[in-house]
Amino acid sequence: MQSKLKWHRVTFSYDGYFEMKPSSYALHEGDFTLFFGPNGAGKTTFFKIGMGLLSPASGQVLLEEKPLNTYRTAEIAQRIAYLEQEIHYLFPFTVEEIVLMGRFPHTQSHFWDRKEDLEIAAWAMEITGTLRFAKRSIFQLSGGEKRKVEIARAICQKPKILFLDEPTTFLDIKQKNELFELLMKLNQEERITIGLISHQLETARRYVRSAVFIQNGQIEASGQASDLLADNQICQFFNFTLSSGIHP
Amino acid sequence: MQKSTSRKKIIVFGLLALLACLSLAIGVFFGSTSQDWSTAEGPFIILNLRLPRGLLALLVGMALSVAGAVFQALLRNPLADPHLLGVSAGGALGVVLGSGFLLTGTLAFSIPVLSSLGSLIAVVIVYRLSLRKGALSIYTLLLIGVMLNSFFVSIIVFLQSLVRADELMTVLFWLLGNLSFANYPRLAVITAILTATLVLLMLQTKKMNILSLGETTAQSLGVSVERTKKIVFILAALLTGMAVSVSGMIGFVGLVVPHLTRLLLGSDYRTLLPASALLGGSVLVCSDVLARLLIAPQELPVGVITSFLGVPFFIYFLKQREAKRVF
């Protein structure tokens, strides 16, 4: 089966204080994969290498079977969208303006928005339930609403792959569940391949299909979510024991 | 929904353009002596003194406001203004240094050249020192710029204590903002630079919008971040250096006008830049009229007016908006 995105023995080092050991993994069309592990293990680095935001020291990334470094920045952005852990907004852009930024890699125009772009933005806001506050300033939204706007911006890129880096950090339980429901919908109905970094293992295992455990700059385990995210397996990964067996 | 927004934008743009024309008319017909075409020296004063001066104020106001708006996006700091990074102080230092070697009479004419030279050197130093492995680090840029600014100012103050009193006044007056060195050839040069820079900046506006979300996100959206930052920095520095070279360090316009424009029209740089230009031009023309009239026949440095009126006005607007959580 053809892979959408493939990391082939990639390594990386941040000026010597962090090292990513040779790691390989492949995402296929329709995957919904959780990347988990301790903080500082290299999950974000792995994502960034996968989308060309960082160049690997050795090894190779293949996007749709072709080397990533043969793509231009905009060509990668047409295929992969990325949600940072936290976005700090400087100016009171409206929701619609932010979502429209997702069309940037597709437009040749430096200035105008095409009718097509406006339609796709409307579609993205519809799907994410953000259309009703399209004209509001991003400063007026709650954490959960902001996240949905950012997802709308990301899918406005019409990506094949969506990477999200701890998207639930500032959300309450209800917002968290809504977010996962939305991701599942995008995965199943829009056929977007999703890679997700999260510490919300309990919630995530109800939705994701596969999982990757990263520790000390290395992929330690990968496979079916049901296997990797079982209680006893998690305890083993993170090296602790559960007294009651209810909640990690 | 889309339609009503763009209609509102068109109306606001129309009003801003009207405001700019109106300010220019005020600048031409109000002065320490009342003049019109019928008096003997009226046409001369209007055509050779007030009109070029009004036009200079308009162009400088435009340049400073656009530069301010651009620096705010580039430095990821809403408090950024054109004078923050030492470009202006470099220009000022050029003038002060030059004035030590020149006769008083030639000073007024050589100021633009000296200032441009000083700004250029400052830009090169700040830019070179902020490059890390070929990438322009925004934090370093901000730190180096602010440091260099203080460094230049300290040298300026030191040199000022050495020069003759009459020269000191000329230089000091220029430093605080002075629009009296206007003439048509100079206006033509400024118009050409401003137009070219503005056109090039307009082509970067979508990228500036995206860049304000942070460099990582911008790059993930397909923006070539490094190239954009460099282009935008050079263009904004050029505008600043040019404005300072013909008018000194007029404060506050570059900080306040972009924010006022955001309150009027929103944050989209595609409308923000041209609208800031119109509003900034109008503001400076009107401020200059006040500077000429308040203590006539004496003149105030126009920078005094912009800061004195700008601060309370801005705080008022900010508080208004804060209540609605928009800004």
Side-chain angles (χ1 to χ4, degrees):
Chain A
M1 191 177 157
Q2 270 205 349
S3 64
K4 278 271 144 205
L5 186 68
K6 191 174 189 174
W7 293 260
H8 181 69
R9 295 188 60 77
V10 292
T11 64
F12 189 79
S13 138
Y14 282 110
D15 297 334
Y17 64 84
F18 169 82
E19 224 176 304
M20 181 115 214
K21 296 171 198 103
S23 309
S24 303
Y25 190 73
L27 281 172
H28 298 92
E29 182 163 354
D31 278 0
F32 189 174
T33 306
L34 175 73
F35 292 75
F36 69 108
N39 284 326
K43 304 183 293 291
T44 305
T45 307
F46 196 63
F47 271 18
K48 286 187 172 171
I49 292 172
M51 51 193 296
L53 293 177
L54 295 171
S55 310
S58 67
Q60 200 178 30
V61 179
L62 298 172
L63 174 57
E64 292 165 3
E65 308 285 330
K66 277 183 288 181
L68 191 66
N69 52 23
T70 60
Y71 291 85
R72 287 182 294 118
T73 329
E75 287 172 339
I76 298 173
Q78 286 166 7
R79 292 164 174 83
I80 310 178
Y82 177 54
L83 241 69
E84 271 191 276
Q85 217 175 99
E86 196 191 354
I87 292 179
H88 172 66
Y89 293 96
L90 282 183
F91 305 120
F93 282 105
T94 66
V95 168
E96 188 183 35
E97 284 166 345
I98 287 174
V99 174
L100 265 169
M101 291 180 195
R103 293 310 297 159
F104 180 78
H106 295 278
T107 58
Q108 298 305 311
S109 155
H110 290 288
F111 194 73
W112 304 108
D113 296 317
R114 299 169 305 178
K115 191 160 168 278
E116 180 194 341
D117 299 327
L118 296 171
E119 283 164 8
I120 294 174
W123 162 83
M125 289 189 283
E126 178 78 58
I127 273 193
T128 50
T130 52
L131 193 57
R132 67 199 155 84
F133 39 79
K135 298 291 168 187
R136 271 209 261 156
S137 152
I138 190 80
F139 288 0
Q140 293 172 305
L141 304 185
S142 72
E145 290 167 334
K146 263 187 213 167
R147 268 308 181 205
K148 284 185 189 167
V149 171
E150 282 150 14
I151 291 178
R153 190 210 73 216
I155 63 171
C156 203
Q157 278 172 256
K158 284 273 185 176
K160 304 284 185 292
I161 304 168
L162 171 60
F163 281 137
L164 304 99
D165 195 343
E166 296 191 35
T168 55
T169 308
F170 301 102
L171 307 187
D172 61 34
I173 292 182
K174 186 166 169 282
Q175 293 169 327
K176 238 173 245 177
N177 285 329
E178 279 178 14
L179 189 106
F180 272 101
E181 290 290 335
L182 174 60
L183 292 180
M184 196 170 75
K185 190 166 99 178
L186 293 173
N187 179 242
Q188 290 178 351
E189 289 170 22
E190 304 298 330
R191 304 293 297 160
I192 297 175
T193 304
I194 295 179
L196 168 75
I197 294 174
S198 180
H199 294 297
Q200 306 296 321
L201 307 183
E202 283 286 273
T203 320
R205 71 177 165 197
R206 301 206 306 265
Y207 297 93
V208 299
R209 278 196 286 277
S210 43
V212 178
F213 178 64
I214 298 183
Q215 186 169 251
N216 298 325
Q218 203 165 15
I219 293 181
E220 297 266 336
S222 63
Q224 292 282 318
S226 48
D227 300 337
L228 247 69
L229 295 173
D231 279 343
N232 55 354
Q233 188 58 259
I234 291 172
C235 295
Q236 214 181 325
F237 282 146
F238 286 92
N239 215 358
F240 64 88
T241 48
L242 288 178
S243 48
S244 64
I246 295 171
H247 197 286
Chain B
M1 234 147 81
Q2 188 64 27
K3 255 201 185 110
S4 67
T5 321
S6 44
R7 188 171 303 151
K8 185 197 155 199
K9 284 187 175 176
I10 291 169
I11 293 173
V12 176
F13 258 103
L15 290 176
L16 285 174
L18 199 69
L19 180 69
C21 298
L22 206 67
S23 329
L24 204 56
I26 292 174
V28 169
F29 292 109
F30 282 79
S32 52
T33 60
S34 60
Q35 297 292 344
D36 59 53
W37 296 105
S38 57
T39 58
E41 67 276 31
F44 177 82
I45 289 182
I46 287 173
L47 282 180
N48 290 320
L49 294 176
R50 288 190 192 159
L51 184 60
R53 185 171 173 148
L55 287 171
L56 183 68
L58 189 76
L59 295 173
V60 167
M62 286 178 158
L64 288 176
S65 307
V66 170
V70 172
F71 276 129
Q72 284 163 11
L74 176 72
L75 299 174
R76 294 187 57 69
N77 192 334
L79 289 178
D81 94 332
H83 307 304
L84 188 68
L85 293 188
V87 179
S88 317
L93 182 59
V95 172
V96 174
L97 270 176
S99 70
F101 303 102
L102 290 163
L103 299 169
T104 318
T106 60
L107 193 55
F109 298 100
S110 47
I111 276 178
V113 180
L114 293 170
S115 176
S116 309
L117 216 63
S119 296
L120 189 70
I121 293 169
V123 171
V124 172
I125 295 175
V126 173
Y127 183 84
R128 293 294 309 173
L129 289 176
S130 307
L131 282 183
R132 262 180 51 196
K133 294 179 188 162
L136 194 63
S137 156
I138 293 305
Y139 285 114
T140 318
L141 183 66
L142 194 58
L143 285 174
I144 296 277
V146 170
M147 289 301 129
L148 211 68
N149 193 36
S150 310
F151 184 67
F152 287 155
V153 168
S154 71
I155 300 178
I156 292 171
V157 174
F158 171 73
L159 289 175
Q160 274 182 344
S161 20
L162 301 180
V163 298
R164 288 200 305 275
D166 53 336
E167 279 171 8
L168 184 67
M169 275 314 286
T170 315
V171 171
L172 202 62
F173 214 78
W174 174 82
L175 277 180
L176 286 170
N178 190 327
L179 292 158
S180 62
F181 304 138
N183 58 41
Y184 285 111
R186 204 171 277 177
L187 285 172
V189 175
I190 299 170
T191 310
I193 296 177
L194 181 66
T195 312
T197 319
L198 205 53
V199 168
L200 290 176
L201 278 171
M202 285 308 285
L203 296 177
Q204 305 294 322
T205 44
K206 264 192 181 180
K207 294 174 204 160
M208 276 188 255
N209 284 340
I210 296 173
L211 208 53
S212 81
L213 303 186
E215 292 186 16
T216 309
T217 294
Q219 207 184 332
S220 81
L221 276 162
V223 174
S224 30
V225 171
E226 283 311 317
R227 211 178 70 197
T228 308
K229 282 190 297 184
K230 287 170 186 170
I231 294 175
V232 156
F233 171 70
I234 299 295
L235 291 175
L238 179 69
L239 278 182
T240 308
M242 179 197 78
V244 171
S245 74
V246 290
S247 64
M249 288 166 74
I250 297 172
F252 233 70
V253 178
L255 171 64
V256 175
V257 170
H259 284 299
L260 281 180
T261 316
R262 271 186 204 101
L263 294 176
L264 283 174
L265 273 172
S267 305
D268 189 339
Y269 269 78
R270 287 174 289 178
T271 45
L272 184 68
L273 284 195
S276 292
L278 287 173
L279 187 60
S282 314
V283 164
L284 198 57
V285 175
C286 293
S287 304
D288 186 48
V289 174
L290 285 177
R292 281 189 284 134
L293 288 183
L294 276 184
I295 55 164
Q298 292 263 20
E299 236 182 68
L300 279 169
V302 66
V304 174
I305 303 283
T306 52
S307 303
F308 187 78
L309 292 181
V311 177
F313 191 61
F314 185 63
I315 291 175
Y316 169 75
F317 261 94
L318 198 63
K319 286 288 158 196
Q320 283 267 302
R321 278 290 165 142
E322 234 169 48
K324 297 183 204 159
R325 286 217 310 159
V326 173
F327 199 156

